[in-house]
Amino acid sequence: MDPAKLSELKKFIQLCKSNPSVLNDPTLSFFRDYLESLGAKLPSSSDSHGASDAKSSYVVEESDEEMADAGEKIDVEEEEEEEEIIESDIELEGETVEPDNDIPQKMGDPSVDVTDENRDASQSAKAKAMEAISEGKLEEAIEHLTQAILLNPTSAIMYGTRASVYIKMRKPNAAIRDANAALEINPDSAKGYKSRGIARAILGQWEDAAKDLHMASKLDYDDEINSVLKKVEPNAHRIEEHRRKYDRLRIEREERKIECERRSRRAQAQAEYEKAKKQEQSSSSRKPGGMPGGFPGGMPGGFPGGMPGGFSGGMPGGFPGGMPGGMPGGMPGVMPGGMPGGMPSGMPGNVDFSKILNDPEMMAAFSDPEVMAALQDVMKNPANLAKHQANPKVAPIIAKMMNKFAGPK
């Protein structure tokens, strides 16, 4: 099957898994019919609509700040979401065989002392093996070579020769065992590298096969090695290019992931900073200023000329430390409720505050939390006076203050 079409099919299946409602597309009715013929249970179009309706009917109200934070998080998450890297198949040439799982062949003991007699007997057994190979009697050849190895287990050539017979028998794992034994005895055994390279090619281990065959060619070049390399090298190059491509894609994906995480942390830190800044501004706007215990934020406008000399001892229950800065401009507007003459738009700078401080009733009122709360309310908004006129404790004090602020007639 065409690898490109197979890759597209995989992507389509993934889309169906993530969003089954895709199958409700009328153009895919043939595919639904096929799936149902196999006994598959598919979601109906009404089910998918019902689910979407149910979701849309549930509405949660969120503040602008929360919505902004959520949108920021979603943007970051969407950037992080990427399709999984699915490796395409590699088009390779050449036949391979299944690994042979026979009982491992007999190996010689390399620690034994080999006598001249054993060495001669080993060569005689090898000669018989070569004769059997020429007659196509491979099993018999293996028996003779095994005898030769047991007589002289220090000969790399004996192992290499038996490995070549196992290759003819299409038993690559047995050949690799013999080739490894030959290379342990002689690391420069060209026959060992050649036999192992051909065996690995038979198993489809193209890259390892190419390495062994190149080494064998350097040690002792022959036409057979060159012939096998021409089949092995193209596959080895394709595998190497494939691996490099997907290694590069994975590295790029990891770099994007790290960048997204960095941006997410930066966005989160920025959001936390903005939130803390808003909280600080909100808190500072609510903090009382000016006269503690009295009028939050001070008296707008102030009294012209301030309070001469100040009152270092403060006003009991009222304004410790005096009224800094005064109220220039007075209290604009007229206070409803029938204050005689209302409140003039400007206050004279020669108000005698000693009249207030020497008035026992006024000083006692300043010690009353209820009266002070009402005064604060009126100072915030003169229109609030109407709601306090019915209070027998508050109305007389406000009226007296207005008369005193009005100055001499």
Side-chain angles (χ1 to χ4, degrees):
M1 186 174 182
D2 186 353
K5 293 183 179 179
L6 183 61
S7 178
E8 292 177 357
L9 179 59
K10 288 180 180 178
K11 291 180 180 179
F12 175 71
I13 295 300
Q14 288 178 345
L15 175 63
C16 292
K17 287 182 178 180
S18 61
N19 185 15
S21 62
V22 171
L23 296 173
N24 294 323
D25 191 325
T27 59
L28 296 176
S29 59
F30 71 96
F31 188 58
R32 284 180 60 91
D33 294 340
Y34 170 70
L35 294 177
E36 289 174 346
S37 69
L38 298 177
K41 184 178 180 181
L42 304 178
S44 63
S45 58
S46 60
D47 291 341
S48 61
H49 289 312
S52 62
D53 292 342
K55 290 181 180 178
S56 62
S57 65
Y58 182 72
V59 179
V60 179
E61 294 185 358
E62 295 182 348
S63 66
D64 294 340
E65 184 177 334
E66 291 172 337
M67 291 295 289
D69 292 343
E72 193 172 65
K73 291 177 182 177
I74 290 173
D75 291 341
V76 175
E77 290 174 358
E78 286 179 351
E79 290 177 0
E80 290 178 351
E81 291 179 1
E82 294 186 17
E83 290 186 6
E84 180 183 357
I85 297 176
I86 301 176
E87 294 191 19
S88 61
D89 295 330
I90 309 174
E91 295 184 6
L92 302 174
E93 299 177 355
E95 296 182 359
T96 60
V97 301
E98 292 295 324
D100 51 301
N101 297 312
D102 298 340
I103 297 174
Q105 63 271 35
K106 292 181 181 181
M107 298 288 189
D109 183 2
S111 64
V112 300
D113 292 332
V114 180
T115 64
D116 291 340
E117 183 180 352
N118 287 346
R119 190 173 286 105
D120 292 340
S122 175
Q123 289 295 331
S124 176
K126 179 186 175 183
K128 293 178 182 179
M130 299 306 293
E131 183 180 351
I133 292 172
S134 64
E135 295 175 357
K137 300 176 181 179
L138 301 181
E139 290 288 352
E140 183 180 334
I142 290 294
E143 291 177 2
H144 291 305
L145 287 169
T146 300
Q147 183 181 3
I149 288 171
L150 294 175
L151 289 168
N152 183 12
T154 61
S155 173
I157 295 177
M158 295 298 180
Y159 282 107
T161 304
R162 189 170 70 171
S164 65
V165 177
Y166 278 127
I167 289 173
K168 294 178 182 293
M169 298 173 68
R170 309 297 280 179
K171 292 185 177 183
N173 279 340
I176 290 173
R177 285 192 290 268
D178 275 347
N180 288 337
L183 291 170
E184 286 180 6
I185 297 170
N186 179 15
D188 293 328
S189 172
K191 200 172 187 65
Y193 282 113
K194 175 181 177 180
S195 298
R196 192 170 69 179
I198 295 174
R200 283 175 167 174
I202 293 174
L203 290 171
Q205 299 172 4
W206 305 109
E207 291 179 290
D208 290 335
K211 292 177 182 178
D212 283 340
L213 292 170
H214 277 296
M215 181 60 72
S217 182
K218 288 180 181 180
L219 294 170
D220 187 11
Y221 173 85
D222 64 36
D223 292 338
E224 185 180 10
I225 294 174
N226 187 53
S227 175
V228 178
L229 266 175
K230 287 182 179 179
K231 298 177 181 178
V232 169
E233 278 192 317
N235 288 340
H237 288 320
R238 291 188 186 102
I239 293 172
E240 184 178 4
E241 291 174 0
H242 179 89
R243 183 173 59 252
R244 286 180 179 175
K245 171 185 175 181
Y246 285 96
D247 284 347
R248 184 178 67 255
L249 290 176
R250 290 187 184 94
I251 291 173
E252 291 174 354
R253 183 182 183 185
E254 187 64 24
E255 289 176 348
R256 286 194 299 270
K257 182 180 178 182
I258 293 172
E259 175 64 15
C260 285
E261 289 175 352
R262 186 186 67 80
R263 292 172 61 184
S264 176
R265 288 193 300 269
R266 185 175 62 186
Q268 184 178 1
Q270 181 67 23
E272 290 176 355
Y273 168 77
E274 294 294 341
K275 184 177 180 181
K277 186 177 179 181
K278 290 180 181 178
Q279 289 177 345
E280 182 181 355
Q281 291 174 348
S282 176
S283 176
S284 62
S285 66
R286 292 195 300 267
K287 286 182 179 179
M291 298 175 287
F295 302 96
M299 288 185 160
F303 294 105
M307 295 185 75
F311 300 99
S312 59
M315 295 179 70
F319 318 125
M323 298 183 188
M327 288 180 63
M331 297 179 65
V334 177
M335 303 188 93
M339 289 287 177
M343 267 191 114
S345 60
M347 293 288 183
N350 58 351
V351 175
D352 188 359
F353 286 95
S354 63
K355 293 181 180 180
I356 297 176
L357 299 177
N358 293 328
D359 189 327
E361 183 182 4
M362 295 288 287
M363 300 306 295
F366 289 153
S367 301
D368 190 330
E370 182 180 354
V371 175
M372 290 305 298
L375 290 176
Q376 292 176 8
D377 191 29
V378 173
M379 293 304 294
K380 289 179 182 177
N381 185 0
N384 292 336
L385 177 62
K387 67 181 180 181
H388 297 291
Q389 284 187 311
N391 190 330
K393 293 172 65 177
V394 177
I397 298 302
I398 294 178
K400 183 176 286 191
M401 285 186 67
M402 297 303 104
N403 287 331
K404 291 182 181 295
F405 288 161
K409 299 291 186 179

